[in-house]
Amino acid sequence: MPVTKTHAIVVAVTTAVGLTLSGCAKSETDSSAPTGAGPAASAAATQPSGQSTCTLAQTGYPKIDPKTAKIGFSQSEKEANPFRITETASIKAQAAALGIPSGNLLVTNAQSDLNKQISDIKSLLDQGVQALIVAPLNSDGLQPALDAAKAKQVPVITVDRKVTSQPCTDYLTFIGSDFVEQGRRAADQMIRVTGGQGKIAILLGSSGNNVTTDRTKGFKDRLAGTPGLTIVAEQTGDFDRSKGLSVMEQLLQSHPDITAVYAENDEMGIGAVNAIKGAGKKPGTDIKIVSVDGTHNAVQLIVDGSYNAVIESNPRFGPLAFQTLQQFQDGAAIPATVIISDDEYDETNAAAKAANSY
């Protein structure tokens, strides 16, 4: 992933962490079946330069021992898709690996309700958590919860979605993917699999978060240099498989000449596969499909020839989140953003790398 020169302070914070973690993800078709192990999210080799940093001394927060402290994890969405299942499993697995007593890790789920996530975080604070790991539902709207954490001098690490609040002031740091770069890489794959010719439909993620905005921007910016590819439709599927299916059905009716689909997550891409089949066309052949995530079913569809490429978005944040929290407590300068390294899958490697999917 091409990014700018490494900032010296960032290197100290993001030194390599153990990359083996049993990703106890569940299959999208069988919610009780594990999809296999995969590497934990690790900091990319290089990080954005010139960003601000945060130390324990700057915040004035009390020093804690993450291994004995009470930690809260606020999950944003119901665990009905592999990303959320694996993300929560990673936090729990790393807490267990560190020997954190099970009663010291408090986990909530906002069920895709922003007000509930605010309430969840405040409840965790009322229960005495001394640090928070938060997967924000939206980039905006969490300020009341962040203010409550700040008032109690509780550091907040955000993962997978960036909030618009201020690092080191309202929260400590964001750990996640470079979503713009994911969009660019998806466009590169789209250009490759289509030969640079075709009509594209974009299945957008949910509105109000930086993931959708950035994945769209990266894709469109990269595609701008390929005049043979035209975006003929884009519609929100809310990162949901059933919505991806219904939206794709509508788009195929209004734009029967669509030859490619960019889905901003695998769930919508899989929904599109079903819609394409329902329309009597062959996904992966008649209509090319590129998406972002790295779920087991999407990767298997590549192996089966019904999908073309997937850009990974690794949800196994547990090791890096706890490592960053420990480094903060040890006095290290924590960067405002920690970009992780993401892989990708296509017809050349999907079978060999299937065990890394979730």
Side-chain angles (χ1 to χ4, degrees), residues 22-70:
S22 178
C24 303
K26 299 177 183 178
S27 167
E28 298 163 72
T29 52
D30 179 356
S31 61
S32 64
T35 62
S42 58
T46 56
Q47 297 286 327
S49 63
Q51 61 176 324
S52 63
T53 60
C54 189
T55 66
L56 185 65
Q58 279 177 265
T59 63
Y61 287 3
K63 184 177 176 62
I64 63 171
D65 180 355
K67 293 182 181 179
T68 59
K70 190 175 288 188

Side-chain angles (χ1 to χ4, degrees), residues 70-91:
K70 190 175 288 188
I71 310 293
F73 174 56
S74 170
Q75 177 58 274
S76 58
E77 299 176 2
K78 61 182 180 179
E79 292 171 8
N81 72 65
F83 186 97
R84 296 298 165 191
I85 293 168
T86 307
E87 182 176 58
T88 299
S90 175
I91 299 295

Side-chain angles (χ1 to χ4, degrees), residues 1 4 19 67 72 75 82 102 148 170-171 202 262 267 273 280 287 298 327 329-330 355:
M1 182 182 299
T4 52
L19 298 183
K67 293 182 181 179
Q75 177 58 274
S102 59
D170 302 311
Y171 68 101
I202 300 179
Y262 167 46
E267 285 292 281
V273 166
I287 298 179
Q327 289 172 326
Q329 294 300 325
D330 291 342

Side-chain angles (χ1 to χ4, degrees), residues 6 21 59 69 77 115 127 132 173 176 194 196 210 221 232 235 237 239 246 256 272 282 294 324-325 339 346 349 356:
T6 306
L21 174 68
T59 63
E77 299 176 2
N115 290 328
Q127 293 175 70
L132 281 163
T173 185
T194 61
N210 72 306
D221 286 352
V232 297
Q235 191 168 327
F239 292 128
S246 61
K282 295 178 66 175
T324 301
L325 179 59
I339 298 299
D346 59 29
N349 63 18
N356 290 344

Side-chain angles (χ1 to χ4, degrees), residues 161-358:
R161 288 179 184 171
K162 184 178 286 189
V163 293
T164 53
S165 304
Q166 291 299 312
C168 199
T169 299
D170 302 311
Y171 68 101
L172 174 57
T173 185
F174 162 73
I175 301 174
S177 299
D178 182 336
F179 303 115
V180 173
E181 182 63 15
Q182 286 178 340
R184 294 190 192 109
R185 293 168 67 195
D188 288 340
Q189 285 282 8
M190 183 65 76
I191 293 166
R192 182 185 69 84
V193 301
T194 61
Q197 299 290 324
K199 296 184 177 181
I200 302 172
I202 300 179
L203 298 182
L204 301 165
S206 56
S207 58
N209 70 75
N210 72 306
V211 179
T212 297
T213 302
D214 290 354
R215 285 178 183 168
T216 304
K217 173 178 170 51
F219 186 80
K220 288 183 174 180
D221 286 352
R222 183 77 99 220
L223 219 63
T226 307
L229 284 170
T230 305
I231 298 170
V232 297
E234 50 187 296
Q235 191 168 327
T236 298
D238 285 327
F239 292 128
D240 181 79
R241 186 188 300 195
S242 61
K243 290 183 180 179
L245 168 62
S246 61
V247 167
M248 194 65 211
E249 287 174 338
Q250 296 167 17
L251 293 179
L252 287 170
Q253 291 178 3
S254 58
H255 298 276
D257 56 347
I258 288 171
T259 59
V261 174
Y262 167 46
E264 292 185 341
N265 82 334
D266 288 356
E267 285 292 281
M268 294 188 296
I270 294 168
V273 166
N274 295 329
I276 292 165
K277 288 180 177 178
K281 297 184 178 182
K282 295 178 66 175
T285 302
D286 298 330
I287 298 179
K288 308 295 185 182
I289 305 171
V290 176
S291 64
V292 182
D293 262 350
T295 63
H296 176 73
N297 278 9
V299 174
Q300 186 58 48
L301 284 171
I302 297 175
V303 176
D304 296 341
S306 296
Y307 220 86
N308 301 95
V310 172
I311 307 303
E312 182 187 53
S313 193
N314 194 338
R316 300 179 179 100
F317 294 107
L320 196 53
F322 279 101
Q323 180 199 33
T324 301
L325 179 59
Q326 183 65 62
Q327 289 172 326
F328 175 69
Q329 294 300 325
D330 291 342
I334 305 301
T337 296
V338 178
I339 298 299
I340 66 171
S341 179
D342 289 318
D343 204 349
E344 62 184 77
Y345 304 86
D346 59 29
E347 74 283 357
T348 69
N349 63 18
K353 290 185 176 182
N356 290 344
S357 60
Y358 53 88

